[in-house]
Amino acid sequence: MPLSFTGLSLFEAYVEKVMRAYDACGMAVAIVDQGQPVQELFYGFRDREQKLPINQDTIFGLASVTKSFTCLAILHLAQQGKIDLDAPVSQYNPSFHNTHREKPVLVRHLMNHTGSFWPVKRKTVEPLARKMGLWGSGMDLAYSIPFSQAAVQEVCAGLDAQTMPLGMPGEYFSYSNDGFGLLSDIIRTQGGEDTYANYMKKHVLQPLGMSRSGCGFLPPAGDSNAAVLYEKRDGRLLITRDYHDNAFVMMGGGAMKSTIRDMERYLLLFLRHGDPLLSRPGIGYRYGLSVSELAGHPVYGHGGSLTGVSSAISFCPDAGSGVVVLCNTSGVPATSVAEAAMLWCLGQNPSPSSPKACSPWPWSLQQKACGRYVCAEGSEIEMTMNGGEMEVLSSGIPHSYRFSEPGILFLRSKMTWSDLTVFSDSAGEIFAVRYGGRMLARV
């Protein structure tokens, strides 16, 4: 349907509010509809200091939006008979020994974040590159065969070291960047190319005409139309160390960089032709995409966040509409902006709604949930009773919240709401919460 001018005004007011609240330096938004781009909007700057504008060819990071590209490649290899989604991961990743697990982790489990992995401390590029003598060599590590081989061994060792897996493979959803790292190594070893980055370039990006996209660390720094990356630390907005800052050792979970023009082509792949990524119905996480319902329609999407990167895609095959949001500042809720744009596409008020208030959890459940929950990635949740009311702290900071159904609530942070779910074992004891998609263990 045509985009309304009223919707444009409301959407831009929402974007401006987000940019002020999160001190976002620059943002690009594109909307495709009925097989073609129909709207491109640019806010702020790709370089705040020099006041350089953003356009459709400005390079941004995609962060975890990369995961949909990884699953796209895996499914295409499966269609060619080169991999089996129901095969054990260890069949393709000999460095992964499936240690301490009663059943094998399958390729399909990795694609859905159900590999039974607790979150682990992020393994980043710089320490491994220094250990190998590659740091500062001028080599683009995304295309280094020795680095790729060493990275998978390091990631597998960390996953095999978990002596108490998170249930059985397939039982619990818990977001795992390392699981997608293993997928990128399957692509490397089974796809006929020497690195994941080369496979994606030759078999995904080039066929789609995405000429300014790639996984390399070095090209953006040498490009005259690449966004400078910003992060707020101790109240100050600082320029980051480009794409090496906090980057994962394995590329499949977040290494892709792209532009608005290229991402429009990517969205049209799904809206014009469909794809195996869309073959599994139902709400939840499926093959590198989250599936939700918005204004009565199934909507697919994914967000991304890394140092100096906030990103999101969202598309609705029923309506023929898709959205991409790219931002060069850490911590900006790009997924909320994408949701607002999709609401506009669906003829709704382009402002994400807050979760409705529900009755409090039963008193006994509130008391049982009280405790401290942590994960190795750094997140921490604490629930306590304070003056007869439950208090919820995230990383030591109290957050307002709204109860949902028993065992689920929503925490508020500035302009966004995030769901928190408690999980009980067979004895009825709460052993974990899931927040930000990750399972946090009770300690």
Side-chain angles (χ1 to χ4, degrees):
M1 64 179 67
L3 296 175
S4 69
F5 287 111
T6 301
L8 173 60
S9 176
L10 293 172
F11 175 73
E12 294 207 302
Y14 178 76
V15 171
E16 289 169 6
K17 187 177 179 181
V18 168
M19 293 191 70
R20 284 196 307 270
Y22 294 87
D23 201 10
C25 292
M27 183 181 293
V29 180
I31 296 173
V32 298
D33 186 68
Q34 304 305 318
Q36 62 182 355
V38 296
Q39 192 71 256
E40 293 175 341
L41 303 167
F42 307 108
Y43 307 91
F45 304 99
R46 72 174 191 264
D47 184 327
R48 179 180 279 188
E49 287 68 34
Q50 298 190 52
K51 307 298 183 188
L52 298 180
I54 300 165
N55 61 37
Q56 63 185 181
D57 293 316
T58 301
I59 296 174
F60 290 84
L62 296 189
S64 287
V65 173
T66 303
K67 291 179 172 66
S68 63
F69 286 84
T70 297
C71 283
L72 178 67
I74 287 285
L75 288 171
H76 287 175
L77 288 171
Q79 287 180 326
Q80 297 167 32
K82 294 182 178 180
I83 62 171
D84 179 356
L85 301 186
D86 292 310
V89 172
S90 56
Q91 178 175 320
Y92 304 113
N93 296 111
S95 297
F96 178 67
H97 301 131
N98 208 70
T99 309
H100 307 299
R101 289 172 172 80
E102 296 179 26
K103 295 183 179 180
V105 178
L106 309 180
V107 175
R108 192 184 302 277
H109 293 146
L110 299 184
M111 301 170 73
N112 296 323
H113 293 298
T114 58
S116 73
F117 305 131
W118 290 98
V120 298
K121 184 177 180 180
R122 179 175 295 188
K123 296 173 179 62
T124 55
V125 165
E126 183 176 349
L128 179 59
R130 286 189 181 279
K131 185 167 67 175
M132 297 179 66
L134 298 176
W135 187 253
S137 65
M139 175 189 304
D140 195 325
L141 297 172
Y143 295 92
S144 167
I145 299 171
F147 187 83
S148 297
Q149 293 169 336
V152 70
Q153 292 179 21
E154 183 163 300
V155 168
C156 288
L159 295 177
D160 277 329
Q162 294 188 4
T163 57
M164 296 290 291
L166 174 59
M168 292 289 184
E171 186 175 2
Y172 295 106
F173 171 90
S174 185
Y175 199 88
S176 175
N177 287 300
D178 282 357
F180 268 76
L182 297 188
L183 288 174
S184 63
D185 194 65
I186 293 174
I187 292 168
R188 178 181 72 89
T189 60
Q190 307 303 310
E193 303 295 340
D194 52 7
T195 62
Y196 167 85
N198 263 328
Y199 181 91
M200 300 305 289
K201 180 178 180 180
K202 294 181 182 180
H203 300 278
V204 177
L205 302 176
Q206 288 180 352
L208 289 174
M210 298 177 68
S211 60
R212 286 181 58 74
S213 302
C215 296
F217 291 108
L218 301 182
D223 195 293
S224 61
N225 191 9
V228 174
L229 306 183
Y230 296 88
E231 179 185 31
K232 183 166 282 188
R233 300 177 191 169
D234 300 323
R236 298 173 57 208
L237 197 64
L238 303 176
I239 295 174
T240 75
R241 295 184 306 148
D242 210 5
Y243 289 100
H244 279 114
D245 199 342
N246 216 23
F248 297 108
V249 293
M250 301 190 74
M251 311 302 151
M256 192 74 72
K257 295 87 182 172
S258 191
T259 69
I260 283 293
R261 190 198 299 267
D262 279 3
M263 289 303 293
E264 289 171 346
R265 294 186 173 104
Y266 185 58
L267 290 178
L268 291 175
L269 166 71
F270 302 109
L271 295 175
R272 285 177 176 168
H273 308 296
D275 197 87
L277 261 69
L278 313 185
S279 63
R280 294 186 68 188
I283 303 302
Y285 195 97
R286 304 287 188 271
Y287 295 163
L289 291 168
S290 294
V291 189
S292 59
E293 186 175 289
L294 191 65
H297 297 274
V299 172
Y300 298 79
H302 210 295
S305 180
L306 276 173
T307 307
V309 176
S310 299
S311 62
I313 58 171
S314 179
F315 56 94
C316 178
D318 285 0
S321 301
V323 175
V324 57
V325 178
L326 303 178
C327 178
N328 62 341
T329 312
S330 300
V332 178
T335 52
S336 296
V337 175
E339 181 181 340
M342 184 54 67
L343 285 167
W344 178 23
C345 292
L346 296 174
Q348 306 294 312
N349 185 342
S351 180
S353 60
S354 300
K356 66 178 182 179
C358 296
S359 300
W361 296 350
W363 180 251
S364 59
L365 177 58
Q366 293 187 50
Q367 290 182 310
K368 286 178 65 175
C370 286
R372 183 166 162 261
Y373 305 82
V374 301
C375 83
E377 280 189 292
S379 301
E380 180 177 321
I381 291 291
E382 185 173 7
M383 290 185 272
T384 63
M385 299 305 295
N386 186 358
E389 292 188 1
M390 194 168 76
E391 184 175 64
V392 184
L393 295 85
S394 174
S395 299
I397 301 172
H399 283 249
S400 60
Y401 63 88
R402 289 183 180 177
F403 286 111
S404 183
E405 60 187 270
I408 302 176
L409 56 77
F410 291 88
L411 294 188
R412 183 174 176 81
S413 178
K414 287 190 179 179
M415 296 178 63
T416 62
W417 293 86
S418 300
D419 60 288
L420 182 152
T421 304
V422 301
F423 289 85
S424 302
D425 59 21
S426 57
E429 298 299 321
I430 295 174
F431 72 95
V433 301
R434 185 169 59 219
Y435 180 65
R438 278 85 167 164
M439 293 290 273
L440 284 66
R442 188 171 195 160
V443 295

Short mmCIF file of all heavy atoms in Angstrom, two decimals, residues 187-224:
data_model
loop_
_atom_site.label_atom_id
_atom_site.label_comp_id
_atom_site.label_asym_id
_atom_site.label_seq_id
_atom_site.Cartn_x
_atom_site.Cartn_y
_atom_site.Cartn_z
N ILE A 187 30.52 -23.56 6.58
CA ILE A 187 30.51 -22.92 5.26
C ILE A 187 31.91 -22.93 4.67
O ILE A 187 32.11 -23.21 3.48
CB ILE A 187 29.94 -21.49 5.37
CG1 ILE A 187 28.45 -21.55 5.73
CG2 ILE A 187 30.15 -20.72 4.07
CD1 ILE A 187 27.86 -20.23 6.13
N ARG A 188 32.90 -22.62 5.51
CA ARG A 188 34.30 -22.58 5.03
C ARG A 188 34.76 -23.96 4.55
O ARG A 188 35.36 -24.08 3.48
CB ARG A 188 35.21 -22.10 6.16
CG ARG A 188 36.70 -22.08 5.80
CD ARG A 188 37.54 -21.62 6.98
NE ARG A 188 37.63 -22.61 8.03
CZ ARG A 188 38.55 -23.58 8.10
NH1 ARG A 188 39.47 -23.67 7.14
NH2 ARG A 188 38.57 -24.43 9.09
N THR A 189 34.46 -24.99 5.32
CA THR A 189 35.00 -26.31 4.98
C THR A 189 34.18 -27.06 3.94
O THR A 189 34.72 -27.88 3.21
CB THR A 189 35.11 -27.18 6.25
OG1 THR A 189 33.81 -27.33 6.84
CG2 THR A 189 36.05 -26.55 7.26
N GLN A 190 32.89 -26.77 3.85
CA GLN A 190 32.03 -27.52 2.93
C GLN A 190 31.65 -26.73 1.68
O GLN A 190 31.08 -27.30 0.75
CB GLN A 190 30.74 -27.96 3.65
CG GLN A 190 30.98 -28.71 4.95
CD GLN A 190 31.83 -29.94 4.78
OE1 GLN A 190 31.56 -30.78 3.89
NE2 GLN A 190 32.86 -30.09 5.60
N GLY A 191 31.95 -25.44 1.67
CA GLY A 191 31.49 -24.60 0.55
C GLY A 191 32.47 -24.46 -0.59
O GLY A 191 32.17 -23.79 -1.58
N GLY A 192 33.68 -25.03 -0.43
CA GLY A 192 34.64 -24.99 -1.53
C GLY A 192 35.48 -23.74 -1.60
O GLY A 192 36.19 -23.53 -2.60
N GLU A 193 35.42 -22.88 -0.57
CA GLU A 193 36.25 -21.68 -0.53
C GLU A 193 37.15 -21.75 0.70
O GLU A 193 36.88 -22.49 1.65
CB GLU A 193 35.39 -20.42 -0.49
CG GLU A 193 34.41 -20.29 -1.65
CD GLU A 193 35.08 -20.13 -3.00
OE1 GLU A 193 36.27 -19.75 -3.04
OE2 GLU A 193 34.42 -20.39 -4.03
N ASP A 194 38.23 -20.95 0.69
CA ASP A 194 39.20 -21.07 1.78
C ASP A 194 38.79 -20.34 3.05
O ASP A 194 39.28 -20.66 4.13
CB ASP A 194 40.58 -20.57 1.33
CG ASP A 194 40.54 -19.17 0.71
OD1 ASP A 194 39.48 -18.53 0.75
OD2 ASP A 194 41.59 -18.74 0.19
N THR A 195 37.87 -19.37 2.96
CA THR A 195 37.38 -18.66 4.14
C THR A 195 35.89 -18.39 4.00
O THR A 195 35.33 -18.38 2.89
CB THR A 195 38.09 -17.29 4.33
OG1 THR A 195 37.81 -16.46 3.20
CG2 THR A 195 39.61 -17.47 4.49
N TYR A 196 35.25 -18.18 5.14
CA TYR A 196 33.84 -17.80 5.15
C TYR A 196 33.65 -16.51 4.36
O TYR A 196 32.71 -16.38 3.56
CB TYR A 196 33.39 -17.61 6.60
CG TYR A 196 32.06 -16.93 6.78
CD1 TYR A 196 30.87 -17.64 6.73
CD2 TYR A 196 31.99 -15.55 7.04
CE1 TYR A 196 29.64 -17.01 6.92
CE2 TYR A 196 30.77 -14.91 7.22
CZ TYR A 196 29.60 -15.65 7.16
OH TYR A 196 28.39 -15.01 7.34
N ALA A 197 34.55 -15.54 4.55
CA ALA A 197 34.42 -14.24 3.88
C ALA A 197 34.44 -14.39 2.36
O ALA A 197 33.68 -13.74 1.64
CB ALA A 197 35.52 -13.30 4.35
N ASN A 198 35.33 -15.26 1.87
CA ASN A 198 35.39 -15.48 0.42
C ASN A 198 34.14 -16.19 -0.09
O ASN A 198 33.63 -15.87 -1.17
CB ASN A 198 36.63 -16.30 0.07
CG ASN A 198 37.79 -15.43 -0.37
OD1 ASN A 198 37.59 -14.37 -0.96
ND2 ASN A 198 39.02 -15.86 -0.09
N TYR A 199 33.64 -17.16 0.68
CA TYR A 199 32.43 -17.85 0.25
C TYR A 199 31.27 -16.85 0.13
O TYR A 199 30.55 -16.84 -0.89
CB TYR A 199 32.04 -18.97 1.21
CG TYR A 199 30.80 -19.69 0.75
CD1 TYR A 199 30.89 -20.82 -0.07
CD2 TYR A 199 29.52 -19.22 1.08
CE1 TYR A 199 29.75 -21.44 -0.55
CE2 TYR A 199 28.38 -19.84 0.60
CZ TYR A 199 28.50 -20.96 -0.21
OH TYR A 199 27.36 -21.57 -0.69
N MET A 200 31.09 -16.04 1.15
CA MET A 200 29.97 -15.10 1.13
C MET A 200 30.10 -14.11 -0.02
O MET A 200 29.11 -13.77 -0.69
CB MET A 200 29.89 -14.35 2.47
CG MET A 200 29.69 -15.25 3.68
SD MET A 200 28.25 -16.35 3.56
CE MET A 200 26.92 -15.17 3.73
N LYS A 201 31.32 -13.67 -0.28
CA LYS A 201 31.54 -12.72 -1.37
C LYS A 201 31.18 -13.34 -2.73
O LYS A 201 30.46 -12.72 -3.53
CB LYS A 201 33.00 -12.27 -1.37
CG LYS A 201 33.35 -11.27 -2.47
CD LYS A 201 34.81 -10.84 -2.37
CE LYS A 201 35.18 -9.85 -3.45
NZ LYS A 201 36.61 -9.43 -3.35
N LYS A 202 31.65 -14.56 -2.98
CA LYS A 202 31.48 -15.17 -4.29
C LYS A 202 30.09 -15.77 -4.52
O LYS A 202 29.57 -15.74 -5.64
CB LYS A 202 32.55 -16.25 -4.50
CG LYS A 202 33.97 -15.72 -4.57
CD LYS A 202 34.96 -16.85 -4.80
CE LYS A 202 36.40 -16.34 -4.83
NZ LYS A 202 37.36 -17.45 -5.05
N HIS A 203 29.50 -16.33 -3.45
CA HIS A 203 28.28 -17.11 -3.63
C HIS A 203 27.01 -16.44 -3.13
O HIS A 203 25.91 -16.93 -3.40
CB HIS A 203 28.44 -18.48 -2.97
CG HIS A 203 29.58 -19.28 -3.51
ND1 HIS A 203 29.47 -20.03 -4.67
CD2 HIS A 203 30.86 -19.42 -3.08
CE1 HIS A 203 30.64 -20.61 -4.92
NE2 HIS A 203 31.50 -20.26 -3.98
N VAL A 204 27.14 -15.37 -2.37
CA VAL A 204 25.96 -14.67 -1.86
C VAL A 204 25.95 -13.21 -2.32
O VAL A 204 25.00 -12.76 -2.97
CB VAL A 204 25.89 -14.75 -0.32
CG1 VAL A 204 24.69 -13.95 0.19
CG2 VAL A 204 25.79 -16.21 0.14
N LEU A 205 26.99 -12.47 -2.00
CA LEU A 205 26.98 -11.04 -2.26
C LEU A 205 27.07 -10.70 -3.74
O LEU A 205 26.28 -9.89 -4.25
CB LEU A 205 28.12 -10.37 -1.49
CG LEU A 205 28.09 -10.57 0.04
CD1 LEU A 205 29.32 -9.94 0.68
CD2 LEU A 205 26.81 -9.98 0.63
N GLN A 206 28.02 -11.28 -4.45
CA GLN A 206 28.16 -10.98 -5.87
C GLN A 206 26.93 -11.36 -6.68
O GLN A 206 26.47 -10.56 -7.52
CB GLN A 206 29.42 -11.62 -6.42
CG GLN A 206 30.71 -10.95 -5.96
CD GLN A 206 31.96 -11.60 -6.52
OE1 GLN A 206 31.91 -12.66 -7.16
NE2 GLN A 206 33.11 -10.96 -6.29
N PRO A 207 26.33 -12.55 -6.48
CA PRO A 207 25.12 -12.87 -7.24
C PRO A 207 23.96 -11.91 -6.98
O PRO A 207 23.11 -11.72 -7.86
CB PRO A 207 24.78 -14.29 -6.75
CG PRO A 207 26.08 -14.87 -6.33
CD PRO A 207 26.83 -13.73 -5.73
N LEU A 208 23.92 -11.31 -5.79
CA LEU A 208 22.86 -10.36 -5.48
C LEU A 208 23.20 -8.93 -5.92
O LEU A 208 22.37 -8.03 -5.75
CB LEU A 208 22.58 -10.38 -3.97
CG LEU A 208 21.89 -11.63 -3.42
CD1 LEU A 208 21.80 -11.56 -1.90
CD2 LEU A 208 20.50 -11.79 -4.02
N GLY A 209 24.40 -8.72 -6.45
CA GLY A 209 24.81 -7.39 -6.85
C GLY A 209 25.15 -6.48 -5.68
O GLY A 209 25.13 -5.26 -5.81
N MET A 210 25.52 -7.09 -4.54
CA MET A 210 25.86 -6.32 -3.34
C MET A 210 27.36 -6.00 -3.37
O MET A 210 28.16 -6.55 -2.62
CB MET A 210 25.46 -7.09 -2.09
CG MET A 210 23.96 -7.35 -2.00
SD MET A 210 23.46 -8.35 -0.57
CE MET A 210 23.80 -7.23 0.79
N SER A 211 27.72 -5.07 -4.25
CA SER A 211 29.13 -4.83 -4.56
C SER A 211 29.89 -4.09 -3.47
O SER A 211 31.13 -4.12 -3.45
CB SER A 211 29.24 -4.05 -5.88
OG SER A 211 28.57 -2.80 -5.77
N ARG A 212 29.18 -3.40 -2.56
CA ARG A 212 29.86 -2.66 -1.50
C ARG A 212 29.70 -3.34 -0.13
O ARG A 212 29.84 -2.70 0.91
CB ARG A 212 29.36 -1.21 -1.44
CG ARG A 212 29.92 -0.39 -2.60
CD ARG A 212 29.47 1.07 -2.57
NE ARG A 212 29.80 1.80 -1.37
CZ ARG A 212 31.03 2.24 -1.06
NH1 ARG A 212 32.06 1.96 -1.86
NH2 ARG A 212 31.24 2.93 0.04
N SER A 213 29.42 -4.63 -0.17
CA SER A 213 29.25 -5.39 1.07
C SER A 213 30.35 -6.44 1.20
O SER A 213 30.91 -6.89 0.19
CB SER A 213 27.89 -6.09 1.07
OG SER A 213 26.84 -5.16 0.94
N GLY A 214 30.65 -6.82 2.43
CA GLY A 214 31.66 -7.84 2.65
C GLY A 214 31.96 -8.00 4.12
O GLY A 214 31.44 -7.26 4.96
N CYS A 215 32.80 -8.97 4.43
CA CYS A 215 33.15 -9.28 5.82
C CYS A 215 34.52 -8.75 6.22
O CYS A 215 34.93 -8.92 7.37
CB CYS A 215 33.12 -10.79 6.04
SG CYS A 215 31.49 -11.53 5.83
N GLY A 216 35.25 -8.16 5.30
CA GLY A 216 36.60 -7.71 5.60
C GLY A 216 36.65 -6.64 6.68
O GLY A 216 35.75 -5.80 6.78
N PHE A 217 37.71 -6.67 7.47
CA PHE A 217 37.91 -5.67 8.52
C PHE A 217 38.51 -4.37 7.97
O PHE A 217 38.25 -3.30 8.49
CB PHE A 217 38.84 -6.22 9.61
CG PHE A 217 38.22 -7.33 10.41
CD1 PHE A 217 38.65 -8.64 10.26
CD2 PHE A 217 37.22 -7.07 11.32
CE1 PHE A 217 38.10 -9.66 10.99
CE2 PHE A 217 36.64 -8.09 12.06
CZ PHE A 217 37.08 -9.39 11.90
N LEU A 218 39.33 -4.48 6.94
CA LEU A 218 40.12 -3.33 6.50
C LEU A 218 39.46 -2.43 5.45
O LEU A 218 39.70 -1.22 5.46
CB LEU A 218 41.47 -3.82 5.96
CG LEU A 218 42.34 -4.61 6.96
CD1 LEU A 218 43.67 -4.97 6.32
CD2 LEU A 218 42.56 -3.82 8.24
N PRO A 219 38.65 -2.95 4.52
CA PRO A 219 38.12 -2.08 3.46
C PRO A 219 37.38 -0.83 3.94
O PRO A 219 37.58 0.25 3.37
CB PRO A 219 37.20 -3.01 2.66
CG PRO A 219 37.83 -4.36 2.84
CD PRO A 219 38.32 -4.37 4.25
N PRO A 220 36.52 -0.90 4.98
CA PRO A 220 35.83 0.33 5.37
C PRO A 220 36.77 1.46 5.76
O PRO A 220 36.50 2.64 5.45
CB PRO A 220 34.97 -0.12 6.56
CG PRO A 220 34.73 -1.57 6.31
CD PRO A 220 36.02 -2.07 5.74
N ALA A 221 37.87 1.13 6.43
CA ALA A 221 38.80 2.17 6.87
C ALA A 221 39.42 2.91 5.70
O ALA A 221 39.79 4.08 5.82
CB ALA A 221 39.89 1.56 7.75
N GLY A 222 39.53 2.26 4.56
CA GLY A 222 40.12 2.88 3.39
C GLY A 222 39.10 3.42 2.40
O GLY A 222 39.46 3.85 1.31
N ASP A 223 37.83 3.40 2.80
CA ASP A 223 36.75 3.83 1.90
C ASP A 223 36.34 5.26 2.25
O ASP A 223 36.11 5.58 3.41
CB ASP A 223 35.56 2.88 2.03
CG ASP A 223 34.57 3.03 0.90
OD1 ASP A 223 33.93 4.10 0.81
OD2 ASP A 223 34.43 2.09 0.10
N SER A 224 36.23 6.11 1.24
CA SER A 224 35.90 7.52 1.48
C SER A 224 34.45 7.72 1.89
O SER A 224 34.08 8.81 2.35
CB SER A 224 36.19 8.35 0.23
OG SER A 224 35.38 7.89 -0.86
#
